[in-house]
Amino acid sequence: MTAFGDYQLEIYGAGLRGVQPGYPMAFAELEARAAQALSPSVLSYVAGGAGGEHTQRANVDAFRQWGLIPRMFVGATQRDLTVELFGMTLPSPLLMAPIGVIGLCCQDDHGDLATAAAAARSGVPMIASTLSADPLEEVAGRFGDTPGFFQLYTPTDRELAASLVSRAAAAGYRGIVVTLDTWITGWRPRDLATSNFPQLRGHCLANYFSDPVFRARLGHDPAADLPAAVGLWARLFGNPLTWDDLPWLRSLTTLPLLVKGICHPDDARRARDGGVDGIYCSTHGGRQADGGLPALDCLPGVVAAADGLPVLFDSGIRSGADIIKALALGATAVAVGRPYAYGLAIGGTDGIVHVLRSLLAEADLMMAVDGYPALADLTPDALRRTCTHT
């Protein structure tokens, strides 16, 4: 069986033929290259965070305070990174987090399709955002044999919400991820400085404009009056969900239902008791609120409160080492965001695949070198604190 770490052998082998990698190997260079490829407005939207971006930086810095303890005489010549999730066996615990403007990160403005194609090639599932440049059915059509998930920004119109979820199920998505922390947009100075809100300009609204309920509410083809269509979207988008809404959300689908944005153990317990199938611990990468705890600090408490339910995690993942640490702290699976968006910006589907393979190669090699042959070996006891936040 080919190991993820063998990606380095491909790179070194190509070097013997005089071929060097076409894409960056380190996050800092990846980000710098993407900054040259993306328009200033899209870059500010993807790279920026809320407020002074303290939480965004803290999400990244939190990983530095943990170190994996090497174990010797293990002989981890083969590593098993497979994970069981909602009845599926996935080749790795890595997923692609939903990004609402991923469509605009590709040079042809069809980044959702390019990301889905990368999922098909890499085996890394995509969590497709409600805010996409192409309809969810077309995105799902590019997944190949790789399962995908649909992320729902719950509209205030319950019939529209039910329509989006029903379409996702019909299109073959394997789970619904409800984002809880984005019924209103956080304070984002980078975007505010340029009055930049892509959706208000009509971008990444294909799922709404193609939806029969939305079109019936609008009364005409969205293309015939784009400002009116955008205005309706703005009125319907943000639903400040409460616990009273959870039974209704649960009733929408028999697919696995995950709730995203859970950071407090009490919320995890209540969601579990309310019938969800998975908890998604996340601070939205620091994009929605500043001054909070890094998501990684919240993860162990959420895992304990989830009491056996799968726990997905994102926010601050920049390397394979970060993936390993999140898994050791109890995450069932780990989602990456900005790194794959930057890979898309500089190389389309090929760029994303390179980023995903690099992350998995580093994680796999870290398990090999440090003596952890299976994900089950990655427990909190494998980690030690190294420093405090800076």
Side-chain angles (χ1 to χ4, degrees):
M1 182 178 68
T2 302
F4 291 114
D6 289 348
Y7 187 39
Q8 72 170 350
L9 301 181
E10 293 182 28
I11 294 171
Y12 289 139
L16 296 176
R17 303 189 300 274
V19 179
Q20 294 186 350
Y23 305 113
M25 304 306 305
F27 176 77
E29 185 183 351
L30 182 70
E31 186 175 41
R33 286 270 299 275
Q36 299 300 315
L38 292 170
S39 69
S41 62
V42 175
L43 177 65
S44 73
Y45 196 90
V46 174
E53 301 183 351
H54 165 83
T55 300
Q56 180 173 322
R57 292 189 298 272
N59 278 328
V60 175
D61 291 343
F63 289 92
R64 300 177 187 175
Q65 68 173 333
W66 292 103
L68 189 69
I69 307 170
R71 302 302 303 269
M72 297 297 108
F73 287 107
V74 175
T77 56
Q78 293 186 340
R79 282 78 59 197
D80 182 6
L81 273 71
T82 59
V83 62
E84 298 294 324
L85 193 64
F86 309 122
M88 299 176 285
T89 301
L90 303 179
S92 84
L94 184 62
L95 299 93
M96 284 183 278
I99 297 178
V101 293
I102 200 65
L104 303 182
C105 292
C106 194
Q107 299 304 316
D108 65 359
D109 289 341
H110 291 285
D112 302 280
L113 300 181
T115 302
R121 282 177 48 186
S122 66
V124 175
M126 174 189 184
I127 306 176
S129 175
T130 303
L131 297 172
S132 70
D134 291 281
L136 61 90
E137 292 86 357
E138 294 183 28
V139 176
R142 303 291 181 95
F143 286 157
D145 294 330
T146 302
F149 297 83
F150 180 71
Q151 174 269 336
L152 178 69
Y153 284 126
T154 311
T156 55
D157 185 322
R158 285 193 168 193
E159 190 177 347
L160 175 57
S163 180
L164 290 168
V165 171
S166 176
R167 288 171 59 193
Y173 289 86
R174 303 295 292 274
I176 304 296
V177 177
V178 179
T179 295
L180 302 172
D181 63 0
T182 315
W183 60 272
I184 190 171
T185 304
W187 184 257
R188 302 173 185 168
R190 293 203 209 190
D191 292 329
L192 289 163
T194 56
S195 302
N196 174 46
F197 197 121
Q199 286 76 31
L200 292 180
R201 300 173 187 270
H203 297 300
C204 300
L205 299 180
N207 284 326
Y208 299 90
F209 292 176
S210 62
D211 192 89
V213 173
F214 183 92
R215 293 171 72 92
R217 299 284 189 271
L218 185 63
H220 55 74
D221 187 333
D225 189 346
L226 183 60
V230 171
L232 178 60
W233 168 80
R235 293 192 296 276
L236 296 178
F237 175 74
N239 191 335
L241 297 168
T242 72
W243 290 112
D244 291 339
D245 294 306
L246 183 53
W248 164 70
L249 284 171
R250 178 66 278 180
S251 73
L252 290 179
T253 185
T254 58
L255 290 172
L257 180 70
L258 297 86
V259 284
K260 181 175 182 286
I262 300 293
C263 290
H264 196 292
D266 289 350
D267 290 345
R269 277 187 284 269
R270 192 161 182 180
R272 179 200 65 202
D273 293 344
V276 305
D277 300 290
I279 305 294
Y280 195 142
C281 179
S282 168
T283 61
H284 214 109
R287 288 182 49 73
Q288 275 295 87
D290 199 25
L293 290 171
L296 193 69
D297 287 4
C298 302
L299 178 59
V302 169
V303 169
D307 195 26
L309 282 186
V311 175
L312 276 62
F313 174 85
D314 73 23
S315 299
I317 297 292
R318 299 291 184 266
S319 67
D322 294 343
I323 294 171
I324 293 298
K325 293 173 186 180
L327 293 171
L329 287 173
T332 308
V334 176
V336 63
R338 289 180 177 94
Y340 90 79
Y342 294 153
L344 172 63
I346 64 175
T349 295
D350 290 344
I352 298 178
V353 171
H354 166 76
V355 168
L356 299 176
R357 294 191 71 191
S358 297
L359 290 168
L360 287 170
E362 183 183 8
D364 181 39
L365 292 168
M366 189 171 173
M367 291 173 69
V369 172
D370 285 341
Y372 294 87
L375 297 184
D377 300 314
L378 295 171
T379 68
D381 287 339
L383 298 177
R384 291 292 184 274
R385 292 269 184 178
T386 59
C387 64
T388 58
H389 293 310
T390 57

